[in-house]
């Protein structure tokens, strides 16, 4: 059985950048339902005992009739797990450690990285995600994906994500996705993102 991860902070902890009702609804309704649907899809199969990353990086192990349900719900469970751990009440500011150096050497500057990442989130048509990932060469890669799609399905290791589905911002920001994106930077958890970076490249 897959379990809903513990939210690492209170619903109201990201205020005013991400409001309490949005966090509660997003985590306790949307995220929880993806977990439940993943469990339903895999009921009676041995895949229920596997690690989620193991399944998503090797989707060949999923029976054809369950593929879409696992791609959508498994992808969304994974994506939200990373989302809640990409942000924190103690977040904001600029990256630290080895990640800071790598961002500068890859994107020219933090400001430039921030601009490109924001742009990917703002221009993702419809529901989706913006990502910072590490490819098989250990290089940083920016991307956006639609719906449940995720770099984890494409042989990359995501270390940071921003949810741009309307449910991530609509209660507070209505149609103004760029305002949500601007606020997102105030809660980005560089400590944990740097940790994932160092783990992945070591
Ligand atoms: Mn979401």
């Amino acid at each position: 059985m897959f379990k809903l991860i513990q939210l690492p902070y209170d619903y109201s902890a990201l205020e005013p950048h991400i409001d309490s009702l949005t966090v509660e609804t997003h985590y306790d309704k949307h995220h929880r339902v993806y977990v439940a649907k993943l469990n339903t899809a895999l009921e009676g199969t041995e895949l229920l005992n596997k690690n989620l990353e193991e399944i998503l990086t090797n989707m060949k192990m999923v029976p054809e009739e369950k593929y879409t349900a696992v791609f959508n719900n498994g992808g969304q469970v994974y994506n939200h797990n990373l989302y809640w751990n990409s942000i924190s009440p103690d977040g904001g500011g600029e990256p630290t450690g080895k990640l800071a150096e790598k961002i500068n050497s890859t994107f020219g500057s933090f400001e430039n990285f921030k601009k490109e990442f924001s742009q990917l989130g703002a221009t993702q048509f419809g529901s989706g995600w913006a990502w910072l990932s590490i490819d098989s060469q250990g290089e940083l890669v920016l991307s956006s994906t639609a719906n449940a799609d995720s770099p984890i399905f494409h042989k990359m290791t995501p270390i940071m994500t921003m949810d741009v589905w309307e449910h991530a911002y609509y209660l507070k920001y209505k149609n103004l996705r760029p305002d949500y994106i601007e606020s997102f930077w105030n809660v980005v958890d560089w400590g944990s993102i740097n940790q994932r970076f160092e783990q992945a490249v070591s």
Side-chain angles (χ1 to χ4, degrees):
M1 288 275 282
F2 294 96
K3 285 200 177 134
L4 180 64
I5 60 157
Q6 195 83 36
L7 194 67
Y9 31 77
D10 293 338
Y11 296 142
S12 62
L14 304 172
E15 292 266 10
H17 313 293
I18 304 181
D19 63 289
S20 186
L21 185 60
T22 294
V23 174
E24 180 175 359
T25 312
H26 197 172
Y27 169 77
D28 201 44
K29 304 276 191 275
H30 294 277
H31 194 175
R32 186 181 296 283
V33 167
Y34 293 128
V35 175
K37 287 186 173 171
L38 177 63
N39 283 324
T40 303
L42 292 179
E43 213 174 334
T45 74
E46 61 184 32
L47 293 176
L48 264 195
N49 305 315
K50 296 233 183 259
N51 170 285
L52 183 58
E53 281 87 342
E54 199 184 336
I55 299 175
L56 302 187
T57 53
N58 189 12
M59 287 292 283
K60 283 195 297 278
M61 68 170 77
V62 178
E64 200 185 333
E65 71 277 12
K66 297 183 186 295
Y67 189 96
T68 302
V70 172
F71 183 89
N72 287 337
N73 295 294
Q76 284 294 74
V77 171
Y78 176 86
N79 296 348
H80 284 92
N81 290 353
L82 185 63
Y83 176 66
W84 299 123
N85 283 289
S86 294
I87 51 184
S88 153
D90 307 316
E94 299 201 5
T96 52
K98 288 189 178 151
L99 176 62
E101 294 166 28
K102 190 69 178 174
I103 283 179
N104 285 334
S105 66
T106 307
F107 304 104
S109 66
F110 173 64
E111 279 313 308
N112 200 47
F113 158 80
K114 191 173 159 182
K115 206 173 104 192
E116 287 185 29
F117 185 97
S118 296
Q119 188 71 11
L120 283 167
T123 57
Q124 167 58 37
F125 184 74
S127 298
W129 301 83
W131 301 93
L132 177 64
S133 308
I134 301 165
D135 70 11
S136 55
Q137 315 296 314
E139 296 300 321
L140 291 177
V141 180
L142 284 172
S143 66
S144 59
T145 60
N147 302 320
D149 199 6
S150 175
I152 189 97
F153 294 119
H154 307 287
K155 310 210 179 308
M156 286 190 277
T157 306
I159 58 171
M160 167 187 180
T161 191
M162 176 174 68
D163 192 341
V164 295
W165 283 57
E166 284 187 343
H167 67 224
Y169 61 86
Y170 210 86
L171 293 175
K172 179 178 171 80
Y173 295 98
K174 305 294 185 285
N175 56 314
L176 301 177
R177 187 191 288 182
D179 290 2
Y180 157 71
I181 293 173
E182 200 49 47
S183 289
F184 173 83
W185 294 106
N186 295 320
V187 290
V188 173
D189 187 5
W190 291 114
S192 82
I193 297 164
N194 185 50
Q195 243 172 35
R196 283 188 287 275
F197 172 74
E198 293 199 4
Q199 223 162 41
V201 297
S202 68

